[in-house]
Amino acid sequence: MSDEIKQLTLWTGSHYNEGIGRDDIFDKLREECGVFGVFNVPNASSLSYYGLHALQHRGEESAGICTVDTEDHNRFAYHRGMGLVKEVFDKEKISSLKGDRSIGHVRYSTAGESKLANAQPLIFRYRDGDLAVATNGNIVNAPEIRKELESQGSIFQTSSDTEVIAHLIARSPKDFETAAKEALQRIVGGFAFLIMTNDKLLVASDPNGLRPLVMGKIGDGYVFSSESCAFESIGAEYVRDVQPGELLYLDENGLREDRYAEVERRATCAMEYIYFARPDSDIHTINIHSARKRMGKQLAMEAFVDADIVTGVPDSSISAAIGYAEQTGIPYELGLIKNKYTGRTFIQPSQELREQGVKMKLSAVRKVVEGKRVVMIDDSIVRGTTSRRIVNMLREAGATEVHVRITSPPFQNPCYYGIDTPDRKELIASSRTVEEIRDMINADSLSFLTNEGFIDSVGGNDGAYNRGMCLACFDNDYPTPVNEESDKSCSC
């Protein structure tokens, strides 16, 4: 074995997926995190474990659970670690987290912030006891608030913008519920918060509903999750989506519904429907698999091409590929197979090793694509590097033509609401025409779904702007004020 091969490892750093995100072999967008909460259900930590496992696709770098034991003087207990849920927690750790209330979190990090200090839930001691915070999303004005708080003497322990809300609550002279409500009114961005004290659980969604958050019931208790798919794993019943600007209080008296802000403009993240959410999840009663199938059908109507087979890039594009095939009558085939067990591979500067890393994660099925004209369905093109590699992989496997169809409009603008995106200048669609992108990825043809086609495919609220979705990454129309000079990578 050569010295070069001996030096290869499945991941760099001290744990699985350390620093995954912008350095990943596959140039894909990364959701920052997922949250899961339990209230008034025995063995809450076990439910959180299974809930977080179902949300693992939203964050593969760190995981954490915090519990409250009402039978032991509302005692806090928590454990956080770097790695997958099943690596961070074992039977012994789960059994030590006693209680009937819990909040949990899975996280992706952005570049340079792969460390345990930023793993959530974040835990604090303040004048009224213990405080735990978990969030999915990003606070756009966190840098300004952080600077203000530091000038007043606050000492931050992490680089996570989630810590901002804890400081706002702790510094307020008012009671906890009022302090939390006023803190939420100060922050701007896309977020879903779970905030837990020794005797209360607060649940909040941002005024635009950018990040998904759903509520369910199990027995006499409640559960909360970034996606409804997690409810199936614990036998919970879906109740409803937490509404934009809504604030829920749960304590010994049960559930109370309130608002901290009016709905400014419902704007659920479009990429949840296109890419992030699991196909078996529903967002605002819209099933993700069905929506993606409709995107594929719409794409077939907008950009038909004669071909022999249709294949989807695993996993998020499979539903759309089936829709495209059904609409056109072209057979759907598994032309690409994903290996789910490789971890973070070969983050070395050698291009040869990077290409080998791609082949370890994704393979073309030669007997399926050889001699065929292939329609390759994918969800997005970010920098273009991944699309080029996959197109070339299909050609190497014998495909005579490769026609690329994308189930989103061109991704031209960065996200400030909790998705780890490159700067605008690194987004291939921000400065190149569709024909130029086609040439760069070595495809025979390339088409993107139109904004109108995407909106119609998802459906949603007919009376709302963009039917209640945020399309800022496509149309540059952000639902909140953003500072393009600010660091958008400080999320959760």
Side-chain angles (χ1 to χ4, degrees):
M1 185 180 294
S2 69
D3 290 339
E4 184 178 48
I5 297 298
K6 287 179 182 178
Q7 292 173 3
L8 299 182
T9 57
L10 288 182
W11 61 82
T12 60
S14 60
H15 59 271
Y16 180 91
N17 276 347
E18 179 176 348
I20 194 168
R22 294 178 180 174
D23 288 335
D24 190 22
I25 285 291
F26 280 90
D27 180 29
K28 287 293 187 180
L29 301 170
R30 296 292 180 187
E31 176 66 270
E32 293 300 341
C33 33
V35 296
F36 192 84
V38 179
F39 186 86
N40 194 33
V41 186
N43 302 313
S45 61
S46 294
L47 295 181
S48 287
Y49 173 86
Y50 288 114
L52 293 178
H53 191 271
L55 298 175
Q56 188 74 86
H57 60 287
R58 300 184 73 89
E60 298 181 359
E61 181 164 316
S62 70
I65 296 173
C66 176
T67 59
V68 169
D69 189 356
T70 55
E71 295 183 358
D72 187 12
H73 308 287
N74 293 338
R75 185 178 68 89
F76 254 46
Y78 66 94
H79 178 73
R80 300 174 300 170
M82 306 302 289
L84 300 175
V85 174
K86 65 181 181 181
E87 296 172 327
V88 172
F89 295 99
D90 55 24
K91 185 176 181 180
E92 181 179 348
K93 288 187 175 68
I94 290 296
S95 63
S96 70
L97 299 173
K98 300 183 185 301
D100 60 357
R101 304 173 185 181
S102 69
I103 62 174
H105 191 269
V106 289
R107 178 180 189 265
Y108 273 120
S109 78
T110 51
E113 297 299 335
S114 172
K115 56 187 181 182
L116 182 58
N118 286 330
Q120 293 188 32
L122 298 180
I123 313 296
F124 306 91
R125 288 283 297 175
Y126 80 122
R127 66 178 183 278
D128 291 333
D130 299 300
L131 178 68
V133 184
T135 186
N136 168 31
N138 192 51
I139 301 173
V140 174
N141 62 338
E144 292 82 2
I145 297 176
R146 185 182 183 116
K147 185 177 180 180
E148 172 193 324
L149 292 172
E150 287 177 334
S151 70
Q152 296 171 358
S154 290
I155 300 174
F156 283 77
Q157 303 299 315
T158 75
S159 59
S160 168
D161 63 354
T162 303
E163 191 176 354
V164 164
I165 196 165
H167 282 265
L168 289 173
I169 293 171
R171 291 181 66 88
S172 173
K174 300 180 181 179
D175 66 90
F176 170 70
E177 291 187 7
T178 303
K181 191 171 186 177
E182 291 182 351
L184 288 166
Q185 290 168 344
R186 282 209 60 188
I187 61 179
V188 176
F191 48 81
F193 270 110
L194 299 180
I195 305 172
M196 189 168 68
T197 67
N198 301 90
D199 59 357
K200 296 181 189 296
L201 173 63
L202 270 61
V203 180
S205 175
D206 70 79
N208 301 102
L210 281 150
R211 303 264 66 87
L213 187 61
V214 291
M215 177 171 68
K217 286 210 72 175
I218 181 167
D220 294 327
Y222 293 90
V223 287
F224 301 89
S225 176
S226 290
E227 290 186 38
S228 61
C229 65
F231 293 163
E232 296 293 331
S233 65
I234 61 170
E237 176 189 1
Y238 166 83
V239 175
R240 64 177 179 85
D241 290 61
V242 178
Q243 296 304 303
E246 189 171 24
L247 177 58
L248 305 178
Y249 304 97
L250 296 100
D251 57 23
E252 61 182 4
N253 298 314
L255 170 68
R256 288 179 291 128
E257 300 175 350
D258 192 9
R259 301 197 65 83
Y260 71 92
E262 294 303 315
V263 180
E264 297 175 3
R265 167 187 147 192
R266 184 187 289 276
T268 303
C269 174
M271 293 306 296
E272 294 285 353
Y273 295 102
I274 294 167
Y275 175 59
F276 292 126
R278 257 176 45 169
D280 53 336
S281 287
D282 297 339
I283 297 178
H284 297 303
T285 71
I286 297 170
N287 175 253
I288 298 301
H289 166 70
S290 299
R292 289 175 184 166
K293 277 191 67 177
R294 292 193 295 270
M295 292 176 209
K297 289 176 179 287
Q298 181 66 29
L299 192 56
M301 291 186 283
E302 292 182 2
F304 171 80
V305 62
D306 192 21
D308 301 307
I309 64 170
V310 177
T311 193
V313 178
D315 290 310
S316 57
S317 301
I318 300 300
S319 300
I322 294 172
Y324 191 99
E326 288 183 359
Q327 182 67 32
T328 61
I330 301 171
Y332 167 77
E333 295 284 355
L334 284 175
L336 294 164
I337 300 295
K338 183 179 179 182
N339 180 0
K340 300 177 183 295
Y341 305 104
T342 56
R344 184 181 189 235
T345 53
F346 307 149
I347 311 303
Q348 282 90 3
S350 165
Q351 181 64 21
E352 181 181 354
L353 296 182
R354 289 184 66 85
E355 298 297 339
Q356 185 63 32
V358 170
K359 293 178 180 178
M360 284 189 66
K361 283 196 171 184
L362 193 68
S363 300
V365 185
R366 180 174 293 275
K367 295 298 183 182
V368 171
V369 304
E370 192 171 30
K372 300 291 198 315
R373 298 168 298 168
V374 178
V375 178
M376 184 190 95
I377 308 294
D378 205 356
D379 50 72
S380 59
I381 297 180
V382 185
R383 293 182 178 90
T385 53
T386 295
S387 298
R388 183 177 65 251
R389 289 173 182 141
I390 300 175
V391 168
N392 288 340
M393 186 185 300
L394 289 168
R395 292 194 186 282
E396 291 167 7
T400 58
E401 297 177 10
V402 181
H403 301 275
V404 177
R405 296 294 181 268
I406 305 298
T407 59
S408 68
F411 202 106
Q412 299 176 312
N413 312 294
C415 178
Y416 296 87
Y417 305 120
I419 299 175
D420 185 18
T421 53
D423 293 331
R424 191 187 306 275
K425 63 183 178 182
E426 297 178 63
L427 296 168
I428 191 171
S430 69
S431 59
R432 292 176 176 85
T433 65
V434 173
E435 175 59 23
E436 288 172 334
I437 299 172
R438 181 209 63 77
D439 182 62
M440 291 183 69
I441 67 173
N442 195 29
D444 289 282
S445 69
L446 168 66
S447 290
F448 294 85
L449 189 62
T450 62
N451 282 22
E452 296 75 20
F454 167 72
I455 293 170
D456 290 342
S457 298
V458 175
N461 186 345
D462 286 335
Y465 182 71
N466 283 342
R467 291 200 179 181
M469 289 181 290
C470 173
L471 275 64
C473 48
F474 312 133
D475 62 13
N476 203 35
D477 183 6
Y478 295 95
T480 74
V482 297
N483 178 6
E484 296 202 19
E485 301 302 318
S486 68
D487 179 12
K488 59 182 171 51
S489 66
C490 60
S491 52
C492 51

